[in-house]
Amino acid sequence: MERLPFIAGNWKMNKTVEEATGLVRELKTSLSGVKDVEVAVAPPFTALYSVSQELMGSSIRLAAQNVFYEEKGAFTGEISPLMLKAIGCQYVIIGHSERRQFFGETDETVNRKMKVALTHGLNPIFCIGETLKEREEGKTFSVIRRQIEGGLQGLGENEMKGVVIAYEPVWAIGTGKTATPEQAEEVHRFIRERLEKLYSPEIARGVRIQYGGSVTPENIRGLMGQEDIDGALVGGASLKAESFSRIVRFREM
Ligand code: PEP
């Protein structure tokens, strides 16, 4: 099955509204004519609405960086899936390692967020990945397995069709240390095998698995050359139109 490559930029806690709309305007120009790659940007919450207006008529998709697992109510500081859907978000990043590390997210809260996002027609970009310590202790595959089983708990085959998985080794995020294409592929293949066991060969073949962790215009081609790597979740290099566009245009490099 041909999986459409998917490159998403996670802007994290960067960009004012003005900077965000400026960047998206540049991206619309630098990405014009790009075919056969799906592209999304994930601005901070304050810029989502302005960016959604700027993206009208563009093929670039809008993603949020987080969502809460309730629809509304007394949850100060949280953002509901209904609010994201209403401003045109199609994707939402769930379970990013920074949220697990700094904001106490667990496999259980991640799972609740996955369910509520899918209920409201938002496609989760479900992040998993091991820390350096876990890798060094030989626990990479058991951690990935636990995160997959916990995060996807209770999701059926139909729901899985709306899910994108991002394998992001924590030791490679924002550190300049990328996993080699072979290291990444080994885990991507493992994830696909797990999906086959948990669901079916069809689901395993169809779900897109992005790699994330210090992706740059220089290393994207090697990563995309691997059979089970279907795209990238890009942090630092997505903050400039020039580097992000070169990543999206990986085939031309
Ligand atoms: C990320 O935060 O999802 C990420 C992969 O960051 P970076 O590309 O900066 O390593």
Side-chain angles (χ1 to χ4, degrees), residues 60-77:
I60 302 173
R61 321 263 193 205
L62 189 64
Q65 297 176 18
N66 185 24
V67 66
F68 193 52
Y69 49 70
E70 297 287 349
E71 288 175 1
K72 63 178 176 178
F75 302 103
T76 303

Side-chain angles (χ1 to χ4, degrees), residues 10 12 96 98 168 172-174 212-215 233-236:
N10 173 13
K12 310 193 185 188
H96 191 280
E98 287 153 13
E168 299 205 303
I173 296 182
S214 298
V215 171
L233 183 55
V234 186

